[in-house]
Amino acid sequence: MPARHSLPPGDTLSRLDHKNPQSLFVYGLRSIGQALLAPYADAFRGLSTCGHPHPFLLPAGEAVPIYLEVLPSEGGAEEVAAYAAGIATCGSPWACPVCSPALGHRRGEALARALERLQGMGYRVAHAVLTVQHTRGDSLATLRRVLSDVWRRVVGHRRVKKLWSGVAWYRSVEVTYGRHGWHPHLHLAVAVPPGRDPWALKDIVQAWLEAVEAHDWVAVRDAQFFGVAEGTGDVVEVGRYVGKGGVLWGLPHEVAAGAVKRVAHGLTPFQLLAGAFGAWLEGDPALEGVFAFGEDHPLEVEGVPLTLRDFCGRARMALERAGVSPEEAAWRWLEYVEATKGWKRTSASRSLTLLLRQVEGELSVRGKVVERVYLSQRAYRWLLLSGRLALLYHYAEVLRSLRLACELLGLVEGVEWFTPPANAPPPEGVMAT
């Protein structure tokens, strides 16, 4: 492996959330999750095969194309992104450490821009957090049903229908785990038209409490939150936070100050997954080599080197504070994956949905491909399972060269990777697995 000083400054993956230093860890966490799901792979086929070559798109023997493209820039430094084609992706907004934050980041940016446009038209933006009382004995599947039933009662409430008239709203679900068990809750962003008092929408909280009691569940007024965002910065943060659907990594996580400031107490599902690497999973042959990239290229957080193993260690300490063992973290993670299967994480009003589609279309403009290489499936799988796939993308983006990235990782040209002539596919028989 190359010495760290051989790389220019910059140690974040541009293709993922820039503000999230744990971006480098998502591939290793996905391997941990797939090891936990291995006995149930048939029931979670998408999660179990995410990141692997797609058998229909890339039959055995065909090389994996890797692209480097220049992204459109609104000013400032030009950005590049590296990605693979022909790869199976699960697209799970809940349980995939790779797909979930990437999807949440796109949704959050789209919602932030949509709300910013509405604010420019005179709309005011409110943020609400709604939840139900829970205990450690309540299963997540049960709380999911309660939350969904109560939400249906609220939106069907005569008083709420009147408040809902003319407003644009976006709802997302967040799930954490703490000393009192699972804590699912709804985040709601509401854009109120000009001339209407946004604080009148606070009546939604009362309607929620009444719907909880009508469901024979316990309503806790202090557990709910309602606030109005002041200023463009707060509006953008509300959009990013609510749009991401609570895809959190921090220990704990805190969003912007003011009306949108909320501290997430308890463990995030990905902390449960990382903590499960403790005594219950460490030494599992299926995870051999997963942490190699973190040890070779540690990421500094506040001046302290942090590898994926360190991140898992910090998660274990958070588990201990919450009274959760690595064994419990493992089966709680499995419970989370099962309970969220098929659960819609976000929804929006028709008017806001139309605006979001427009904004997402603007954000999805692809860049210009400037380089491509082909990896043998054997080399790609080695990069994937050893955790070095993140480094390949990272090196390519920082150095702006896939060729240099392959050389830095020690891949043999002509055997493990191949650069084709311009606009030509790789020759048949090259790099068979």
Side-chain angles (χ1 to χ4, degrees), residues 103-105 107-108 111 170 172 238-246 346:
L103 179 61
H105 179 67
R107 287 177 172 175
L111 182 59
Y170 188 99
S172 66
V238 165
R240 286 175 179 162
Y241 186 64
V242 176
K244 288 181 180 182
T346 62

Side-chain angles (χ1 to χ4, degrees), residues 12-13 16-27 299 390:
T12 59
L13 286 175
L16 292 178
D17 188 352
H18 290 267
K19 297 181 180 180
N20 182 3
Q22 280 77 41
S23 294
L24 287 169
F25 304 150
V26 294
Y27 293 89
L299 175 68

Side-chain angles (χ1 to χ4, degrees), residues 138-380:
D138 296 321
S139 70
L140 182 55
T142 298
L143 292 171
R144 166 186 170 174
R145 289 192 295 270
V146 172
L147 210 67
S148 298
D149 291 345
V150 171
W151 173 254
R152 282 193 292 269
R153 284 177 181 267
V154 169
V155 295
H157 198 291
R158 182 182 304 174
R159 190 165 68 249
V160 173
K161 284 184 177 180
K162 185 177 180 180
L163 290 172
W164 240 216
S165 178
V167 307
W169 58 268
Y170 188 99
R171 187 211 70 176
S172 66
V173 185
E174 180 182 348
V175 178
T176 58
Y177 188 83
R179 290 189 175 275
H180 301 293
W182 291 110
H183 176 47
H185 45 288
L186 304 181
H187 284 272
L188 188 64
V190 183
V192 184
R196 289 178 56 179
D197 181 11
W199 286 101
L201 270 294
K202 190 174 183 179
D203 200 27
I204 293 174
V205 174
Q206 182 59 38
W208 175 268
L209 294 171
E210 293 174 6
V212 171
E213 293 176 345
H215 198 276
D216 295 328
W217 211 261
V218 179
V220 183
R221 177 172 293 276
D222 292 342
Q224 322 305 322
F225 168 83
F226 184 90
V228 177
E230 301 294 344
T232 301
D234 278 356
V235 168
V236 169
E237 286 301 326
V238 165
R240 286 175 179 162
Y241 186 64
V242 176
K244 288 181 180 182
V247 180
L248 308 177
W249 294 84
L251 303 172
H253 178 84
E254 186 173 348
V255 298
V260 299
K261 184 175 182 180
R262 304 291 296 162
V263 178
H265 299 284
L267 302 161
T268 72
F270 293 130
Q271 283 178 261
L272 289 174
L273 177 61
F277 180 73
W280 198 77
L281 273 180
E282 197 154 9
D284 190 324
L287 296 175
E288 185 177 353
V290 163
F291 301 98
F293 83 92
E295 293 162 356
D296 291 336
H297 189 72
L299 175 68
E300 288 194 359
V301 176
E302 296 180 354
V304 179
L306 182 65
T307 67
L308 178 54
R309 189 181 295 276
D310 295 328
F311 178 67
C312 292
R314 292 189 181 194
R316 287 202 299 274
M317 289 190 288
L319 292 181
E320 291 174 2
R321 291 194 294 270
V324 179
S325 67
E327 292 81 3
E328 182 182 356
W331 67 261
R332 287 295 186 186
W333 166 259
L334 294 176
E335 180 189 4
Y336 170 79
V337 175
E338 174 66 27
T340 55
K341 189 177 181 180
W343 192 4
K344 192 174 182 180
R345 186 157 201 168
T346 62
S347 60
S349 63
R350 184 175 302 178
S351 58
L352 188 54
T353 298
L354 294 174
L355 179 57
L356 286 172
R357 286 176 182 172
Q358 178 183 343
V359 175
E360 288 169 357
E362 297 168 0
L363 293 175
S364 64
V365 176
R366 300 302 299 268
K368 177 183 177 182
V369 175
V370 294
E371 187 184 5
R372 64 173 172 168
V373 302
Y374 289 87
L375 294 178
S376 71
Q377 288 199 20
R378 181 178 300 169
Y380 176 84

